[in-house]
Amino acid sequence: MQQRKRLEDKVALITGGGGGIGAATARVFCAEGAAVVLVDANQEALARVADELKTVDPSARVETFAADVSNDADAMRAVQLAADSFGRLDVLVNNAAMRNYSALADATPAEWQAMVSVNLVGTSNYCRAALPFLRRAGRASIVNVSSCYAVTGRKGMGLYDATKAGMLAMTRTLAFEETANGVRVNAVCPGSTLTEFHVNRAIASGKSVEVLKTQRQDTSLIGRWASPEEIAWPILWFASDEASYITGTTLMVDGGLSAM
């Protein structure tokens, strides 16, 4: 007897779907039977991911929507696209994020506002837009992609880390508020993940990709980068009914960094 796919007949919306963890999550979700709507500010990146998904599986059900997640009206339109295209929405993955490398002592109000508008308000926008559809779906799931540095200190990315910590508080509160509506809310906290962002940044600084791959040996017990798929699989689990008794939880997917 053929095993049922974990997201068969489900529909998922993934922000930050134009690359990295978001694109990997789309690949895993489609392989497990889901229809996906990918949201990203980069239209060309969205097109590449959609083409890749349909090349792997011509029957893959994929829609894309180019938007800055800080725009609440676009969040409503993206969710409506999911409903119009596939008839429902079962899973929301809030993965879109903005980075900033200013020291906290130097960060300007404008920098703070930009970070909060994407990492916190953006997450809120998509939760608010999606919840009416998620409540109707029953057994729905929201997965917020935070960061291991939401709970572990470091220097140089305080704005990013503070907003990612805020996502964990949002996750817990929303889990309280939505359990009665059949919506589970959880968070994953990735560690060092080798995405196109890091590869392109290394190349721009004159560093070879091979050298880059040898780094991050001291930022986890496992001693290497994670692949984007290694973050996508726990997201898949939270999204599936296999995690039906789990809500309000933060899962550290950091190779053991938080235990060091």
Side-chain angles (χ1 to χ4, degrees):
M1 182 176 178
Q2 187 175 9
Q3 184 177 1
R4 181 178 172 85
K5 293 182 177 181
R6 281 177 281 186
L7 296 183
E8 192 170 343
D9 300 325
K10 292 186 181 291
V11 178
L13 187 152
I14 304 167
T15 70
I21 292 170
T25 300
R27 290 192 290 271
V28 170
F29 277 23
C30 285
E32 288 292 333
V36 297
V37 174
L38 307 179
V39 177
D40 199 284
N42 188 328
Q43 177 66 71
E44 292 181 359
L46 284 173
R48 286 195 297 271
V49 175
D51 287 345
E52 174 197 339
L53 294 172
K54 291 176 181 177
T55 298
V56 171
D57 180 2
S59 67
R61 297 173 295 159
V62 183
E63 294 287 345
T64 63
F65 188 85
D68 181 334
V69 296
S70 66
N71 186 309
D72 63 324
D74 277 348
M76 295 291 186
R77 284 189 279 269
V79 169
Q80 192 62 52
L81 173 63
D84 292 344
S85 299
F86 304 119
R88 59 187 293 133
L89 183 62
D90 303 272
V91 179
L92 170 65
V93 179
N94 286 304
N95 171 68
M98 179 181 181
R99 290 177 172 84
N100 180 291
Y101 299 94
S102 294
L104 289 175
D106 302 323
T108 66
E111 288 177 295
W112 273 107
Q113 288 163 3
M115 290 293 292
V116 169
S117 71
V118 172
N119 294 359
L120 287 178
V121 176
T123 297
S124 174
N125 285 341
Y126 278 79
C127 288
R128 184 164 62 91
L131 276 168
F133 296 90
L134 296 174
R135 291 166 180 162
R136 287 200 291 271
R139 300 177 71 84
S141 175
I142 296 174
V143 186
N144 293 325
V145 181
S146 178
S147 168
C148 62
Y149 292 106
V151 300
T152 302
R154 62 175 167 175
K155 63 179 181 180
M157 289 189 70
L159 281 71
Y160 178 87
D161 297 347
T163 55
K164 288 296 184 175
M167 286 183 73
L168 299 185
M170 186 185 300
T171 297
R172 293 188 294 269
T173 300
L174 195 58
F176 265 102
E177 293 176 350
E178 292 301 323
T179 298
N181 297 317
V183 182
R184 296 181 297 106
V185 188
N186 293 289
V188 297
C189 287
S192 300
T193 306
L194 190 57
T195 63
E196 300 98 317
F197 173 85
H198 293 291
V199 169
N200 293 337
R201 195 162 178 256
I203 292 172
S205 67
K207 184 187 299 180
S208 76
V209 175
E210 292 308 311
V211 169
L212 176 68
K213 289 179 178 179
T214 67
Q215 297 179 342
R216 303 299 176 104
Q217 294 179 352
D218 60 349
T219 59
S220 73
L221 294 177
I222 293 177
R224 62 168 175 82
W225 293 90
S227 71
E229 283 73 19
E230 288 178 299
I231 312 302
W233 291 323
I235 294 172
L236 166 67
W237 183 64
F238 269 147
S240 77
D241 288 340
E242 291 178 2
S244 58
Y245 197 61
I246 300 175
T247 194
T249 293
T250 296
L251 178 62
M252 306 305 297
V253 191
D254 64 354
L257 172 63
S258 52
M260 293 172 67

